[in-house]
Structures are given as C-alpha cells and as structure tokens.
Amino acid sequence: MAELTGRSPEEPRVSTKPSKIYDLFDLRSNYPISAHICRLLGISDIINLTRTCSQFSNLYKSLLPSQWNVNRRLARFVKNITGFRNQMAKSDALIAGSFAVQFFNRVSWFNSDLDITIRHNSEEFEQYLCRNEGYKVIRATEGRRYNMFCVNKIRTFIRRPPNAPKTMIQLCISTGNPVEQILRGSYSTHVINFISWNKAYAVFPRPTFVKKKGYMLQELNEHLGEHLAKYHKRGWKIQDRVWEGENPVPALEGLRLVGDHHTWIIQLDTTGIEISKIPDFVLDYTQFRVEMSRNTQNDFVERSSHLEHYHVDTWSIRGEVLRYEYLCASHEWYDFVRDRVLRLTELELFKENPSLRPHNFRDLIRNPSSPAWENFPKTARWTYYDEEIPTWYSQWRALGYWKTCWKEFGRSSFVTD
C-alpha cells in the first residue's frame, strides 16, 4: 500500500478538516475574538489573506459591515445619522479631513473634528446642524486666511452635550465643485480621502494605508509644517516626491479618474437614506492629473528650497445638454465632450419653438457660461445627455486618444471585489 500511494508508513496523514486558523477569523462563530484579531490587521494583511485560499476569499467583504461602519463613526458627531446623511445627499456634501483617514484606517483620534466640504445649500445644511443636532456657530473664517483653493468660508460649529465630550464640525464652503476643492486644495496625497452619502473614496490607498506615506501637493510653509508634525505622531511619513531609486507609485502618474482601479472605494450601507439626485458617475468620472509642479522644475540651484512637490490639476466641463458639472484634466477628453455637447445643443434648440430661442442662439451655443442661458426656458422637449458620459468615455478611450496622455499599470483593483 505504501508503494501504491507513494507515502511511507511513517509519514503522517494530511488532515482534510478545515484549518483552525480560519476559525479564528470566523465572525459568526468566534465573535468577539475574531473581530479583535481583524482590527489588528492592516488592510494589506487582509487583502493578502483573501488571496491565500478559498476559505479567506470573502474575508474583506465579511468585515465591511463591522470594521468600516460609517454610521458607527458618525454617531459621535450626530444624533440622527439617517437625517444627517440625507442632508449630505441633498446638498452634495463630502466628508474629508481626518475623519475620512480614521474611517479607512479603522482608528479613532481623540479631539478630532468632522470636516465637511459643501457648495450647494450650505445655509440649509447649517440650519440643520443647529436646529436638529444642537450645534452652535462659534467661528466664521474667510478661506483666503488659510490660502485654501476655491474656499469661500470656513464655519466652525460646536456642540457640548451634558454628559459627553464636546464635538466640532467644520463646514468648508467651496466656491467650486467640492471634489475639486479636495483634489486641488489638499496639501498631501495622504489626506485625499472623502466620503459621500453612499460611498467612501481613498484616492491614493497604497501609499496612504499600506506604506503610511504621503507626498506633498503644495509648497511647504509654517502652517503646513504643523500638519506634517501632527501626522508624524500618527504614524505617517511625508516626502516631497518619490525619490530616485524608489519603486514607482502608479497612482501618482498620468491621468486618473476618482472611480478608477487605483482608488479604494467602499459602498456604504444606505438603509433609510434617500437617493441623491446626482448620479454616482458624476463623481466617479471626475478626471484629474497628477504631475510635478511647474514652479519646481527649475534648476536645483535656482530654487529657494530643495523640496519639490506634486500638483493635481482638473477643470470643469459644462453644457446646456448636461444637468451636472464634470471635471476633466485632458484637453483631448474636454474637446471630445465639448464637440458632442455643441452638436446636441444645436439640435435641442431647433426642437424648441423659434419664438423661445435666445437671440443670436447660434453664437450662444459656444458660450455655455453666457447669462442669456439663465433666461432661456427649456421645455419638456429638451433632452439632457448626462447618462451618456460613461459611454462617451469608453468610446474616447477605444478611439485611442487617451494613449497620448495616460499610463496604464495593470487593471487589478486595490481590493478584491
């Protein structure tokens, strides 16, 4: 028998029973020990475990409801979590700052506040915080004081519950698209993380949460030095750029989308939340480019500082046949969309009654920011084409225009779906 099986009598038999190690991670049968063990694992450890065997393949998904529970974290700041997230959906607000970092890293920092970036319905959001959540405004600061990109005001709200620590919310009122403010206004890559009403986005997850590294996006000054010191205590190392001899960071090179394969995206539990009127693809198809800042590409001797930094670039696309504003960072993609928008706008205008068309409407077609459009009453005949944006993007890529400005580094996503 030993000769037939190829195993000597002295060799032990291999057990076919499930591994006891797997039992340690079974949340159903070994809670709370399993939950505590998983909290000690980094996201890279969890991802690696999911790739070891079929028993661990669903580990990440099974941990999402408990380890990345946004409602549990928001409970520190608001009493009515559903109402608060409904207000976020209604106002197109984004949670950013240290709250988003803590959420993805599964940690809690004492005395940290809740940073919210908003453009629309800011007054209504403020009233909600005061009327429904018991907050009071203690400070209103002009955005230019902190030299923050497209920030009009920062309003600070505080709440002092009788039997609990005080909590603070900072409302960053943006003059532009909230995601544009976060992308272009952040001082380092490690803080470009944000949470919408239904999703959480970590745009540079590998350097931020696997390597615990950040790369500068602004020129260093004393104010930023305070932030660097704070995150140094929290375990992050900040560099001005990827240095020669280091492994490349693909997420820092070329054109990107907020919803691309480099980004760590978590679908949040939306039970009881009213769906936002703005579709997810408006945020997911936000295009941006990371590049070395132009003012740091001079000769090393000519610079006042030895440090360099990256720069995030993106700008808006608007049109009369688009309900929403989109962001792009490629002239090729901008021209591709603009050509179709102009053609469709002219077609839509000819569908309307001639008496309703704006004066010199042919000239207005190429000027979507003209005030004349504000007084133009679009009837029920008018068609919007926002739902075509994902299809147009696929067509643009298929035509090969993107190859002149995009580097591909493999298609595997940050975490296994």
Side-chain angles (χ1 to χ4, degrees):
M1 178 67 74
E3 293 179 355
L4 291 175
T5 60
R7 176 175 56 83
S8 66
E10 293 78 20
E11 289 180 321
R13 294 181 179 272
V14 178
S15 173
T16 59
K17 294 182 179 180
S19 170
K20 294 296 182 182
I21 296 178
Y22 171 74
D23 294 340
L24 291 174
F25 297 91
D26 190 345
L27 296 175
R28 293 170 297 180
S29 62
N30 207 23
Y31 187 88
I33 296 174
S34 57
H36 179 70
I37 292 174
C38 291
R39 275 195 293 269
L40 298 176
L41 298 176
I43 182 59
S44 58
D45 301 320
I46 294 172
I47 293 173
N48 290 335
L49 274 173
T50 63
R51 296 169 178 170
T52 57
C53 63
S54 60
Q55 290 174 312
F56 285 123
S57 60
N58 289 320
L59 179 62
Y60 170 71
K61 285 185 177 181
S62 68
L63 292 175
L64 283 174
S66 58
Q67 303 276 315
W68 288 277
N69 189 313
V70 72
N71 288 348
R72 190 177 300 161
R73 291 190 171 274
L74 285 173
R76 174 185 161 198
F77 294 93
V78 293
K79 296 174 291 187
N80 184 351
I81 298 168
T82 300
F84 175 80
R85 291 179 63 189
N86 276 329
Q87 198 67 38
M88 284 186 62
K90 186 177 182 180
S91 304
D92 192 28
L94 296 176
I95 295 173
S98 65
F99 182 95
V101 177
Q102 293 172 78
F103 171 78
F104 278 102
N105 205 40
R106 296 173 297 152
V107 295
S108 296
W109 297 327
F110 183 70
N111 278 343
S112 60
D113 51 22
L114 180 64
D115 298 317
I116 302 172
T117 302
I118 186 172
R119 174 171 56 174
H120 301 300
N121 303 322
S122 62
E123 293 183 359
E124 182 178 340
F125 204 101
E126 291 177 30
Q127 292 173 4
Y128 175 86
L129 291 176
C130 296
R131 184 179 61 251
N132 297 69
E133 294 294 340
Y135 279 88
K136 293 182 178 180
V137 181
I138 61 168
R139 186 168 56 249
T141 309
E142 296 293 329
R144 62 174 177 271
R145 177 179 176 182
Y146 297 105
N147 195 28
M148 296 178 68
F149 175 79
C150 75
V151 172
N152 183 21
K153 288 184 179 180
I154 300 176
R155 296 179 68 84
T156 304
F157 298 78
I158 195 168
R159 182 182 65 178
R160 292 185 173 91
N163 299 313
K166 69 178 181 180
T167 54
M168 187 178 296
I169 293 178
Q170 293 209 98
L171 204 61
C172 181
I173 303 172
S174 174
T175 58
N177 194 311
V179 70
E180 182 182 12
Q181 193 284 318
I182 294 170
L183 289 171
R184 298 185 63 182
S186 296
Y187 68 91
S188 172
T189 58
H190 76 283
V191 292
I192 300 188
N193 316 282
F194 48 88
I195 301 171
S196 71
W197 69 278
N198 67 332
K199 291 181 182 179
Y201 299 80
V203 178
F204 301 98
R206 291 189 186 277
T208 303
F209 299 109
V210 177
K211 303 295 184 182
K212 288 294 183 71
K213 273 189 176 184
Y215 299 94
M216 293 298 296
L217 297 172
Q218 295 180 12
E219 191 170 341
L220 191 61
N221 56 46
E222 293 297 335
H223 176 67
L224 295 185
E226 297 175 6
H227 289 285
L228 299 184
K230 180 168 59 177
Y231 272 92
H232 170 75
K233 292 180 180 179
R234 294 169 174 174
W236 270 264
K237 295 180 180 179
I238 311 300
Q239 295 181 194
D240 58 338
R241 60 169 296 173
V242 178
W243 297 329
E244 291 184 9
E246 292 186 317
N247 291 328
V249 180
L252 287 172
E253 302 189 30
L255 275 177
R256 287 196 50 196
L257 295 178
V258 159
D260 67 15
H261 64 284
H262 291 298
T263 301
W264 179 9
I265 302 176
I266 296 178
Q267 295 278 351
L268 305 176
D269 180 9
T270 56
T271 302
I273 312 296
E274 297 178 12
I275 297 176
S276 172
K277 294 180 180 179
I278 302 179
D280 287 355
F281 62 75
V282 177
L283 182 55
D284 290 344
Y285 278 81
T286 291
Q287 190 185 63
F288 64 97
R289 182 194 298 273
V290 183
E291 55 192 2
M292 291 304 303
S293 182
R294 293 185 181 89
N295 62 359
T296 62
Q297 292 178 343
N298 299 324
D299 186 78
F300 181 83
V301 180
E302 296 178 0
R303 296 197 301 266
S304 60
S305 170
H306 295 169
L307 299 176
E308 300 178 275
H309 65 86
Y310 293 97
H311 169 74
V312 177
D313 196 20
T314 186
W315 62 88
S316 65
I317 305 177
R318 295 184 179 92
E320 290 304 311
V321 293
L322 298 175
R323 291 183 186 274
Y324 312 108
E325 175 189 7
Y326 298 86
L327 295 175
C328 71
S330 161
H331 292 289
E332 292 85 355
W333 169 235
Y334 177 87
D335 291 340
F336 187 88
V337 174
R338 186 170 182 268
D339 177 72
R340 297 192 177 194
V341 166
L342 295 179
R343 293 171 185 271
L344 290 169
T345 301
E346 187 168 356
L347 288 168
E348 293 303 315
L349 283 168
F350 272 95
K351 283 166 51 178
E352 298 290 347
N353 189 311
S355 63
L356 298 177
R357 296 173 194 159
H359 181 63
N360 296 330
F361 72 92
R362 290 184 183 274
D363 296 330
L364 287 175
I365 291 173
R366 295 186 176 275
N367 187 12
S369 60
S370 171
W373 285 109
E374 297 178 5
N375 300 320
F376 172 56
K378 296 173 184 172
T379 67
R381 299 176 183 177
W382 195 272
T383 303
Y384 291 94
Y385 291 86
D386 293 83
E387 71 280 357
E388 297 295 328
I389 289 291
T391 302
W392 292 354
Y393 199 85
S394 297
Q395 293 170 348
W396 175 70
R397 293 194 65 208
L399 289 171
Y401 296 131
W402 62 274
K403 292 181 180 179
T404 62
C405 50
W406 193 312
K407 289 185 178 181
E408 290 279 288
F409 291 92
R411 301 305 304 164
S412 59
S413 59
F414 175 68
V415 293
T416 306
D417 293 332

